[in-house]
Amino acid sequence: KKEKQLTKKLALQLKRAIEAAVMLVHPDWASSGMVGEEVQAFSDFLVYALDSDSILAHWSIAVFDEASGFVDVYRGRHYGKVYPPTSVISRHGKEKLRYNDCDVETKRANTLTLRYIPGHYQPLLPELTKMSIEKRKIRKAGYTYERATLEEILCLLKKWNVLHVVTDGRA
């Protein structure tokens, strides 16, 4: 029960962070009712957060649509880079931010998977009560158990011919 409450609280915080990024670009949307507490979140809004200067720009998110079987993939403009960036002085004396590549574990941690059921988003996570049992079974079979990186998800989507589109914040 505590885990469910924590998940709901985190989901609401993420919704608010994403909406804040949307309102920076479209301040009029709040007054027109396109964003707000009583308005459903849209995965299309992820683009604004993943293209921002926030830590969310270091994430990638795959949304598996249960109704259509389609997958929307969003790659933040700094996905695969270390947060926070380091500050360097250019040869012209101006300060610049440099983003160094991160390790694979950070990529795993920064890749979120969501299931979309019409009207609702849910995190795709293993059940915590079954996780230790499943890990033992997987290890016994010679595999490792770890969250996937965006690159691994894309590889599997292509391998299994799953319809998907990638919205890339780096483009």
Side-chain angles (χ1 to χ4, degrees):
K1 188 170 179 168
K2 276 186 179 181
E3 292 162 355
K4 236 181 190 173
Q5 288 174 336
L6 181 62
T7 301
K8 284 182 179 184
K9 185 177 179 180
L10 179 59
L12 184 58
Q13 288 173 340
L14 285 172
K15 179 181 186 268
R16 287 181 178 153
I18 292 165
E19 287 177 343
V22 170
M23 289 191 289
L24 282 174
V25 178
H26 298 286
D28 54 312
W29 285 10
S31 61
S32 67
M34 293 201 45
V35 293
E37 288 298 315
E38 301 303 318
V39 181
Q40 177 187 341
F42 293 100
S43 61
D44 294 348
F45 288 175
L46 290 171
V47 173
Y48 297 99
L50 296 175
D51 194 34
S52 70
D53 286 323
S54 73
I55 194 163
L56 298 177
H58 292 262
W59 291 7
S60 66
I61 301 170
V63 181
F64 294 80
D65 187 327
E66 190 173 276
S68 70
F70 192 80
V71 181
D72 283 308
V73 178
Y74 300 89
R75 181 185 349 233
R77 71 176 169 157
H78 299 305
Y79 171 75
K81 303 294 182 185
V82 174
Y83 184 85
T86 55
S87 180
V88 294
I89 305 297
S90 72
R91 58 182 166 196
H92 304 295
K94 293 189 176 187
E95 184 180 30
K96 288 177 30 176
L97 298 178
R98 180 181 9 196
Y99 290 91
N100 297 314
D101 291 338
C102 66
D103 60 17
V104 72
E105 291 308 313
T106 302
K107 283 184 174 186
R108 289 184 201 293
N110 289 349
T111 300
L112 305 179
T113 50
L114 301 174
R115 178 173 82 165
Y116 176 70
I117 300 168
H120 191 64
Y121 292 91
Q122 296 177 325
L124 281 174
L125 299 169
E127 289 184 43
L128 295 176
T129 54
K130 295 181 181 176
M131 195 156 50
S132 61
I133 296 167
E134 293 301 318
K135 278 185 179 182
R136 282 195 295 268
K137 286 180 187 175
I138 290 168
R139 280 194 199 109
K140 198 172 185 180
Y143 298 101
T144 59
Y145 178 86
E146 49 199 8
R147 290 175 55 179
T149 64
L150 174 63
E151 295 79 6
E152 292 165 341
I153 291 170
L154 291 174
C155 184
L156 288 172
L157 292 174
K158 287 175 188 165
K159 178 180 178 179
W160 296 105
N161 295 315
V162 176
L163 290 176
H164 65 282
V165 66
V166 178
T167 302
D168 196 336
R170 299 179 301 179

